Every structure is written in C-alpha cells, then in structure tokens.
Amino acid sequence: MIPFLDLKGINTHYRTELIEACTRVIDSGWYIQGNECKEFEKEFAQYCGTKYAIGVANGLDALILILRAYKELGVMKDGDEVIVPSNTYIASILAISQNNLVPVLVEPDNNTYLIDSTKIEEKITSKTKAILPVHLYGQTCEMDKINEIAKKYNLKVIEDSAQSHGAYFKDKRSGNLGDASGFSFYPGKNLGALGDGGAVTTNDEELANAIKALGNYGSHKKYENLYKGINSRLDEIQAAMLRVKLKYLDNEVEKRREIANYYLQNIKNDKLILPTVREQNNHVWHLFVIRITKRDKLQKYLLDNSIQTLIHYPIPPHKQNAYKEWNKESYPISGQIHNEVLSLPIFGIQSIGNTKNIVQVINEYR
C-alpha cells in the first residue's frame, strides 16, 4: 500500500535529533514557557520575516486568539463581520464564531480554490472588520488585491496559514502578508509537531503582547491578569521538536515540489482536473488536489490498486450541522469543489518509484 502520508517514516528521518531535543527538555526540568519555546518563537518569526511569533496550543487557537485580541484592543466587537472563504476547513470559521463574530462566506476561484478576490468587495458592510484569507493546500491567496481592498475599507487582514508554511507571495512569506497570521503544527503539516501546536505571527507589538497574555490565562505578569484569558501555550517538548524540523522545512518543500512537478507533467488522464498554479516556486504543496466528477469511483479504483487517498474536504462548511442556519444557502462553486476533490499522496520521503506508480495507475483509469 502506498500511504497517503507516512508520518512515522518522516519523523524517523529526524529521529536522532528529535531524541536529543526531547532529552534536552527532560533534563532541563522546565516544561512550559521555557527556553525551547522562546527560541522557537524567535526562529519562526525570523523564518516568516515577522517581528513576532507567539507559540500557542494549536492552529484553531491561533486564529481564535488573534480575533479575541482585536476585540480586547477595541478593534472589533460582538456582531462584527469577518469575510472568509466558503470552501475552507471549518476551523477558519469556528474561530470567528467562537468570538461572537459573524462569518461572511465568499466563494472561491474555481481554478485555484482560493478566495475569489473579485467577490470580496460586494460582501463588505458597515459591520465588516476583517478579511480572513485561507492559503489552502499550500498556495497563497492574491494578497496584493486583498490588502488593497482592506486598505480601502480600513479592514484587518488575518491569514490562515495552517497549510502554507514557507509559501511566498512575491517577496514575502506566508505569515507576513497581512496584519496577523495563524499557523497550525498538526503532525501532518509541512512543519508538523509530534502532537498539537500552533503559532501566531505579526509585526504589531500591541497585538503580540495581547495574544501572549490571552493565551496565558490573560496574564502578562505572574498572578496579574489583564484579560479573562485561556490556557493555550506551545509546550517545551513540541517547541523542541519544531526547532529540529524547522531547519529542514525548505528541503521538505523542495521535495514536495519535485513530486508535484512530476504529477503535473506526467498525469495525462483527461478525466481529471489538475491543480492550477500561479507561480510554482511559491507553492509549498501541503496537498496535491485533483478533481474529477466521479470522485468516489476513482478513489475506490486507487485503493484497489494499493494507493491511499483522502478528501479535503467532503462536506462544505455551509452544509455542516454545526452551521445548520446556512444549510439552505447556496454556494455552487464550493459545492462542486467539495464533491469533486481528491488528494493524492505527497510528502518529503515519498519515493520516485511510488510517485511513478501513482501516475501510471491514474493514467490507466477509464
């Protein structure tokens, strides 16, 4: 069986360094908000090109805390609206709802699957306070156009960078393309921890300080609480794991690009729609997503040929029971995308033999 993702194999590749890092934390006797987290925050901020990075418990918390901080700073209030793509993973939308803000869904571009920047302005109202573009599958949104709209209407831009570690838009990396950005270090990400983890990046010192306090029970100083905060901190073990893997992230991305290029150049089955890439060197290929009208049939065929695939994502947010108030609304582009997408295996240690086998099996599909 060719796995969709071999996490054990990926982490075995770094086994010696990961064990050394884990041992370093164990021997330090300091397991929360110690030196490993501080150093990772510095290193990750430098990697993204931002002034600040704040480690948090997971990617959802990263987005929740950004929005919560803006509320505490008086930029937003209950009932304000945040524009978000209609085909994103539900976490992007949950972060908005959990802050008593209103998600406003915008359809994606049918080619890139990223939020359609030409459809944003028509959704802006007097209550709109932010745009939350999602760099889905590893490709950045059209941030020049989005930032231009945000500037025109005095809106904040909050990147969901959960799938775009290291991706560029022009000369800047994801995480440094708006006012703030939320990252996930879920194990399957291009930069994955060995458990949950996340981070916020920003160049705004006031925002960074508010997020850091909010994620630590609202405390900026021990036993003094500025806010009614939560407990959302990147622990020392995960920070140490991430420091090891951050050093190799660009190598991981290059290997993913090699696999993606091979797929793009060699898959010749006209039943499929291959990904649209604006600029190959800026895409980090967290996922390689194809489309086909009879998706389930192809998925079964691939599984019968010992190739594991996944669907990202089978049910659009507006059809989820969690948002049943949207169930009767129509987002036809999102609906079609969710019905047709299928993700092929792509990860740094995937062999060229397996990649060629996947292409051959797909090209023989009828």
Side-chain angles (χ1 to χ4, degrees):
M1 176 69 69
I2 299 174
F4 176 76
L5 180 64
D6 182 4
L7 283 178
K8 181 179 178 181
I10 290 169
N11 289 315
T12 297
H13 197 63
Y14 309 116
R15 179 182 177 84
T16 300
E17 288 186 72
L18 291 173
I19 290 173
E20 289 173 356
C22 189
T23 302
R24 190 170 66 239
V25 174
I26 294 169
D27 291 347
S28 75
W30 195 314
Y31 308 122
I32 299 288
Q33 291 194 318
N35 187 64
E36 296 295 336
C37 186
K38 290 176 184 175
E39 290 303 309
F40 173 72
E41 288 174 338
K42 290 178 186 175
E43 291 160 6
F44 192 63
Q46 183 177 20
Y47 179 83
C48 294
T50 57
K51 292 180 181 178
Y52 308 100
I54 305 99
V56 298
N58 53 68
L60 174 56
D61 279 4
L63 295 175
I64 288 173
L65 287 166
I66 293 169
L67 292 165
R68 172 73 188 281
Y70 276 132
K71 289 182 71 179
E72 294 290 353
L73 296 173
V75 176
M76 301 178 192
K77 64 182 184 304
D78 286 3
D80 283 340
E81 297 173 350
V82 179
I83 288 173
V84 64
S86 56
N87 65 316
T88 184
Y89 181 58
I90 201 167
S92 314
I93 297 170
L94 289 172
I96 301 168
S97 299
Q98 290 192 23
N99 276 289
N100 293 318
L101 301 168
V102 179
V104 176
L105 306 186
V106 172
E107 286 266 63
D109 181 284
N110 200 31
N111 295 311
T112 64
Y113 317 137
L114 303 172
I115 190 169
D116 189 337
S117 58
T118 68
K119 296 177 180 176
I120 291 174
E121 203 162 359
E122 65 191 45
K123 293 294 186 83
I124 294 173
T125 72
S126 60
K127 290 187 175 182
T128 308
K129 291 297 184 289
I131 305 170
L132 201 159
V134 181
H135 304 313
L136 201 63
Y137 305 150
Q139 182 167 217
T140 53
C141 299
E142 294 178 306
M143 294 306 296
D144 51 354
K145 296 176 182 178
I146 292 170
N147 283 322
E148 185 178 344
I149 294 168
K151 184 177 180 181
K152 179 179 177 181
Y153 292 94
N154 193 29
L155 308 177
K156 296 298 182 184
V157 175
I158 302 164
E159 300 172 74
D160 184 336
S161 298
Q163 299 186 5
S164 60
H165 313 71
Y168 277 92
F169 181 82
K170 297 184 177 178
D171 61 344
K172 288 186 177 182
R173 274 193 167 126
S174 172
N176 191 25
L177 301 172
D179 295 289
S181 181
F183 284 89
S184 167
F185 303 127
Y186 181 78
K189 304 298 185 184
N190 290 22
L191 178 60
L194 274 70
D196 271 323
V200 173
T201 56
T202 184
N203 292 306
D204 184 333
E205 182 178 10
E206 185 180 30
L207 183 70
N209 288 337
I211 289 168
K212 196 169 186 68
L214 282 165
N216 187 37
Y217 299 97
S219 175
H220 66 299
K221 184 179 179 181
K222 195 167 186 178
Y223 302 127
E224 294 183 18
N225 301 78
L226 283 173
Y227 313 109
K228 296 174 184 176
I230 63 173
N231 178 6
S232 181
R233 303 176 297 203
L234 180 66
D235 69 58
E236 287 290 279
I237 289 284
Q238 299 305 336
M241 303 293 102
L242 289 164
R243 290 186 69 196
V244 170
K245 297 180 75 175
L246 180 59
K247 295 185 295 185
Y248 302 103
L249 177 55
D250 287 344
N251 290 337
E252 165 77 17
V253 168
E254 284 306 314
K255 290 173 182 176
R256 286 173 176 267
R257 284 180 180 148
E258 290 173 10
I259 296 166
N261 281 334
Y262 189 88
Y263 281 153
L264 290 170
Q265 292 169 13
N266 293 282
I267 292 176
K268 302 297 183 184
N269 192 320
D270 59 11
K271 291 180 180 292
L272 309 182
I273 299 173
L274 295 175
T276 297
V277 184
R278 287 201 315 268
E279 189 172 342
Q280 172 67 354
N281 290 332
N282 289 357
H283 201 314
V284 295
W285 295 105
H286 173 59
L287 297 170
F288 189 95
V289 179
I290 61 173
R291 282 172 61 188
I292 186 168
T293 52
K294 296 182 179 179
R295 185 256 316 283
D296 294 345
K297 181 182 175 184
L298 174 61
Q299 186 174 40
K300 183 181 184 303
Y301 164 80
L302 291 172
L303 188 60
D304 289 344
N305 283 274
S306 299
I307 298 168
Q308 185 185 39
T309 59
L310 293 179
I311 301 169
H312 297 90
Y313 301 96
I315 305 173
H318 72 281
K319 292 297 184 182
Q320 298 284 358
N321 187 61
Y323 290 99
K324 51 183 176 288
E325 65 270 25
W326 294 341
N327 286 175
K328 292 182 180 179
E329 294 187 16
S330 176
Y331 296 92
I333 297 174
S334 285
Q336 183 180 18
I337 289 170
H338 285 269
N339 285 333
E340 295 180 355
V341 290
L342 186 67
S343 301
L344 301 182
I346 185 167
F347 53 95
I349 62 168
Q350 183 171 310
S351 71
I352 186 63
N354 280 349
T355 304
K356 288 180 177 179
N357 186 32
I358 292 166
V359 170
Q360 180 180 343
V361 171
I362 287 175
N363 284 343
E364 291 173 355
Y365 177 71
R366 295 293 179 264

